Amino acid sequence: MSVTARQNLSTLTADELAAERDRLADEHAELAARGLSLNLARGRPSTAQVDLADELLALPGRGAGVGPDGTDYRNYYGGLQGLAGLRELFAPVLGVPADQLIAEGNSSLALMYQCVVEALLHGVPGGPGPWRDVERVAFIAAVPGYDRHFAICQELGIELLSVPMTDAGPDVDAVRELVADPRVKGMWCVPTYSNPTGVTYAEDVVQALAGMPTGAPDFRLWWDNAYAVHHLTEFETPSSDILAITAAAGHPDRAFVFGSTSKITTAGAGVAFLGSSTANVDWYLRHMRFRTIGPDKLNQLRHLRFLGDLDGVRAHMAKHRELIAPKFALVDRVLREELAGTAAAEWSTPKGGYFINVDVLGGCAARVVELAGKAGIALAPAGASFPYGHDPADRNFRIAATYPPLEELDAAMHGLTLCVRLAEAEQRLPSHD
């Protein structure tokens, strides 16, 4: 019989399924023979996106490295907290008062890592002492989640405890059960357009995370607001004011807020931010002074002059949206055309962020990634969005749509849906014949 791309393979007989498997395998062999080299693995800005900030390279300009107050930013200058003007610009972006915001180097991931290290070595405000003195320190990870968050814990010997991600954010009941354990010291959160699901935490979820009792008095939320202004539609989803919410709940020190310009200006030479309570900021700066005199003020100055004000940030991000929204629309269109109604996969349709989350038939994700690799389509490893790289159901992988040009993305998506269908056919065959 002839089987369409949208056929539900669960309705086929064993013989029909074997014939469909063979047909798809032949198509895959033809695809592999084309020698493609397409990359959907990492959430990188495209060259066109990075080009949007090329003017930065000429800033601040010869003789323009002196601030309005006469400070020569080309020379040694303390200012551990970073340029006041840039902190004032990004304060409303991240929902942090400017005097409680630190502007540092180019990587928010480095700030997250450093905060964990400082907590292990010295403890945090309100705590009984260094976290390293606690046997089997643990962090909570909502899954699917961000692999680089998990890697920090794995590198530093911190156990990761998983809770499911729902359409409203992390499963609050599961979190509440885990934080009763005093060895649970932190939780990774991407509250706006989560990586990779695209979920934005609902207000009641944020309120629960901010206010719930915890076994550890020094429990912290690692609040990575990486996609606060990375909208894919004209509606700009607002971020919760986590510092105000935790303070109102009686836990003013509970959240560390992170962000950066890595996907706003230049990914390799942006500015990273850390915001928190006054006590937490003082704690961080107190330890920071031993490892640096201060961050790169010239880079901060060029960002301030390039972006100008909050309207400048929004206008710049609208240019990003014009470049990447069509890519997300293409991914969704191909997935619908090739997989809708088949029971082969479910996927997210995010309103912002950098990823599309995909769940395939159980036991198929690793095979999909393998088949895609053989066809020259690079994906992040199956299970990368789970602690230790292990998805118990072997269902999940993510698509990073931003980097390839539209033509390459179209070819990659048609090839990827073929791999999903072939993996499904193989899995459904009796005894994987």
Side-chain angles (χ1 to χ4, degrees):
M1 65 176 288
S2 174
V3 180
T4 69
R6 294 169 63 97
Q7 177 81 31
N8 189 326
L9 299 188
S10 67
T11 66
L12 302 184
T13 66
D15 288 344
E16 291 169 340
L17 195 55
E20 178 66 356
R21 185 270 317 271
D22 293 344
R23 184 186 71 79
L24 292 167
D26 289 342
E27 283 191 29
H28 182 267
E30 293 174 5
L31 179 66
R34 291 170 57 185
L36 300 176
S37 180
L38 307 171
N39 196 319
L40 304 178
R42 305 264 6 147
R44 292 185 294 170
S46 66
T47 301
Q49 288 177 263
V50 178
D51 286 345
L52 294 174
D54 266 357
E55 185 183 328
L56 274 174
L57 303 179
L59 295 173
R62 185 177 179 85
V66 179
D69 63 351
T71 301
D72 188 346
Y73 294 118
R74 301 168 304 170
N75 210 328
Y76 283 115
Y77 167 65
L80 283 178
Q81 205 163 342
L83 290 192
L86 190 65
R87 291 188 285 112
E88 289 165 5
L89 170 56
F90 275 87
V93 172
L94 297 170
V96 177
D99 61 355
Q100 294 172 223
L101 192 62
I102 298 169
E104 227 194 288
N106 73 300
S107 171
S108 57
L109 192 68
L111 287 176
M112 296 175 219
Y113 184 96
Q114 192 65 37
C115 276
V116 178
V117 169
E118 299 293 359
L120 287 169
L121 291 176
H122 307 293
V124 297
W131 289 5
R132 61 180 172 173
D133 295 341
V134 177
E135 186 176 357
R136 295 173 60 233
V137 172
F139 268 44
I140 296 171
V143 296
Y146 183 29
D147 54 342
R148 291 191 182 273
H149 288 164
F150 306 156
I152 290 174
C153 287
Q154 291 172 228
E155 167 70 10
L156 297 174
I158 297 172
E159 184 180 359
L160 287 160
L161 307 174
S162 298
V163 298
M165 178 68 82
T166 75
D167 291 340
D171 184 320
V172 169
D173 291 335
V175 173
R176 188 175 286 111
E177 182 176 344
L178 289 175
V179 296
D181 185 342
R183 71 188 182 90
V184 175
K185 295 289 193 176
M187 178 175 175
W188 294 109
C189 300
V190 183
T192 306
Y193 308 134
S194 291
N195 177 353
T197 63
V199 166
T200 295
Y201 292 11
E203 196 64 25
D204 61 332
V205 170
V206 177
Q207 294 279 355
L209 294 175
M212 66 176 56
T214 61
D218 49 354
F219 174 80
R220 294 291 187 271
L221 298 170
W222 259 249
W223 202 258
D224 183 5
N225 211 357
Y227 307 109
V229 292
H230 298 72
H231 314 292
L232 289 170
T233 71
E234 292 186 1
F235 176 75
E236 300 181 355
T237 301
S239 297
S240 297
D241 187 347
I242 186 61
L243 295 187
I245 294 170
T246 54
H251 304 292
D253 300 331
R254 178 163 288 187
F256 290 122
V257 179
F258 302 93
S260 80
T261 68
S262 292
K263 293 181 174 69
I264 297 175
T265 54
T266 53
V271 180
F273 299 92
L274 163 63
S276 195
S277 66
T278 299
N280 283 341
V281 169
D282 289 347
W283 164 84
Y284 187 84
L285 293 174
R286 185 168 65 252
H287 296 296
M288 178 183 173
R289 66 189 174 91
F290 292 105
R291 60 181 171 85
T292 181
I293 292 173
D296 183 345
K297 307 300 194 310
L298 284 178
N299 191 38
Q300 294 187 8
L301 185 61
R302 68 168 60 102
H303 275 78
L304 179 58
R305 291 181 176 169
F306 174 69
L307 294 169
D309 54 24
L310 185 57
D311 286 339
V313 174
R314 296 181 70 227
H316 188 71
M317 294 312 296
K319 296 176 184 177
H320 278 270
R321 184 176 70 239
E322 290 174 4
L323 291 171
I324 67 175
K327 298 181 180 183
F328 280 79
L330 183 152
V331 169
D332 187 63
R333 174 180 59 78
V334 174
L335 289 171
R336 285 187 288 106
E337 289 175 352
E338 300 295 329
L339 299 177
T342 66
E346 299 173 347
W347 57 92
S348 61
T349 52
K351 293 182 173 63
Y354 258 58
F355 300 95
I356 296 95
N357 186 65
V358 181
D359 286 318
V360 292
L361 183 69
C364 287
R367 179 59 172 159
V368 169
V369 173
E370 179 187 13
L371 289 168
K374 290 179 178 178
I377 304 167
L379 296 167
S385 298
F386 286 70
Y388 313 106
H390 177 61
D391 170 11
D394 188 21
R395 293 191 63 204
N396 185 262
F397 66 90
R398 70 181 184 216
I399 297 171
T402 54
Y403 186 75
L406 277 170
E407 182 179 348
E408 291 186 8
L409 181 61
D410 184 74
M413 286 307 304
H414 280 93
L416 177 58
T417 54
L418 169 62
C419 295
V420 170
R421 296 286 280 157
L422 176 53
E424 180 199 13
E426 293 174 343
Q427 181 72 6
R428 289 190 184 279
L429 276 168
S431 302
H432 298 217
D433 183 24

